[in-house]
Amino acid sequence: VGFITLNRPEKFNSFNRDMALQLQEKLDACMSDEIRAVYITGSGKAFSAGQDISELVGENRIEIKQILAEHYNPIVTRIRKLEKPVIAAVNGVAAGAGANIAYACDLTLAAESANFIQSFINIGLIPDSGGTFTLPRLVGMQRAFGQMILAPKVSAKEAEAQGMIWKAVPDAELMNEATALAKKLAAMPTKAIALTKDALNRSMTNSMDAQLDVENELQTIAGRSHDYNEGVKAFLEKRKPVYKGE
């Protein structure tokens, strides 16, 4: 498992340029065959409060267009294209880009004390980091619009009930449960997991007929994999399979 921790606790893990670029580097490093699953969490009291506003003002300010093009869009793209499962363990507030990065992950667990906020409207901005794509697909158009315009704090339990995240867990159990899940996924047939992720990504814009073609294409690849052959053999031999992600 590749463990990644957002580590600016004094700033509630808000993103500055350095942390955004480092996260991209760590996600790229997780492309290694040695990594079978990825785990992202935050240090301290927050998962991420989103953008560090101090970068938007002053003589050395960074333009929003540059921040999206060089910071957040590459992060979200890497998470979605990474050919292995990405787990988010949301340990505290996830606001703005922090929330939308959590939604971009494949399975998001959150401490019951955590909350999610589409905070962009509070400074006159629109949601970014894939939020306008991901959130309405998770909760529907009305709830997505309401969250984006009214910016309520959505508790972890509410987020679970609305389908925004996989699971809300007691605070004391979050890290253990999320780590156990990541390790479980790492031992599974990760080739099939990667192909499933690819299929779901494509389903976002495909027709049913196009998606049936995608399933045909990807199932053919899966059916030629080591893990498929190992899974069938282990089933027939009544033993636990040993998958390689190949």
Side-chain angles (χ1 to χ4, degrees):
V1 177
F3 289 93
I4 301 174
T5 301
L6 307 178
N7 192 30
R8 300 184 73 218
E10 73 286 356
K11 297 289 186 178
F12 296 101
N13 301 321
S14 60
F15 279 87
N16 60 5
R17 181 173 179 82
D18 186 48
M19 192 170 87
L21 296 181
Q22 283 192 51
L23 179 54
Q24 292 174 40
E25 291 175 3
K26 298 305 180 184
L27 288 169
D28 286 344
C30 287
M31 294 174 64
S32 166
D33 291 340
E34 296 178 2
I35 302 297
R36 300 279 299 280
V38 179
Y39 173 108
I40 303 175
T41 193
S43 61
K45 297 180 179 180
F47 177 73
S48 173
Q51 173 61 32
D52 187 335
I53 302 299
S54 66
E55 285 195 333
L56 304 180
V57 298
E59 293 182 3
N60 298 318
R61 69 181 180 273
I62 306 176
E63 295 299 325
I64 291 176
K65 182 177 181 180
Q66 181 182 359
I67 287 174
L68 295 185
E70 297 181 7
H71 300 185
Y72 297 120
N73 294 354
I75 288 170
V76 172
T77 299
R78 280 167 166 79
I79 290 172
R80 293 312 312 155
K81 290 186 176 180
L82 194 61
E83 294 183 348
K84 47 204 75 183
V86 181
I87 309 302
V90 177
N91 54 303
V93 65
N100 293 336
I101 287 171
Y103 301 148
C105 295
D106 298 305
L107 288 172
T108 299
L109 286 74
E112 290 179 351
S113 66
N115 52 61
F116 298 83
I117 313 169
Q118 291 292 311
S119 53
F120 304 90
I121 196 69
N122 293 332
I123 56 171
L125 294 176
I126 74 161
D128 56 40
S129 306
T132 59
F133 183 87
T134 305
L135 191 56
R137 286 165 171 78
L138 293 174
V139 301
M141 196 67 73
Q142 289 255 339
R143 284 185 170 178
F145 185 82
Q147 286 191 38
M148 293 172 181
I149 300 306
L150 302 175
K153 288 184 179 181
V154 180
S155 72
K157 286 189 173 182
E158 289 175 311
E160 178 185 6
Q162 293 184 35
M164 295 159 58
I165 63 172
W166 174 244
K167 193 176 182 181
V169 299
D171 288 32
E173 299 174 16
L174 175 65
M175 296 307 175
N176 286 340
E177 188 159 341
T179 299
L181 177 60
K183 290 180 177 179
K184 177 181 179 178
L185 291 169
M188 290 175 66
T190 47
K191 178 71 172 180
I193 293 176
L195 294 171
T196 300
K197 185 171 178 176
D198 186 11
L200 289 174
N201 284 339
R202 296 203 228 175
S203 76
M204 295 292 192
T205 54
N206 273 349
S207 66
M208 172 63 85
D209 286 343
Q211 194 63 19
L212 290 174
D213 290 338
V214 168
E215 290 178 357
N216 188 7
E217 171 197 343
L218 299 182
Q219 192 71 296
T220 299
I221 296 171
R224 294 171 180 165
S225 69
H226 167 276
D227 285 351
Y228 167 72
N229 289 319
E230 167 63 9
V232 171
K233 187 176 180 181
F235 177 81
L236 294 174
E237 296 175 356
K238 298 181 179 180
R239 61 173 174 81
K240 186 176 180 179
V242 180
Y243 295 116
K244 296 182 177 180
E246 300 173 355

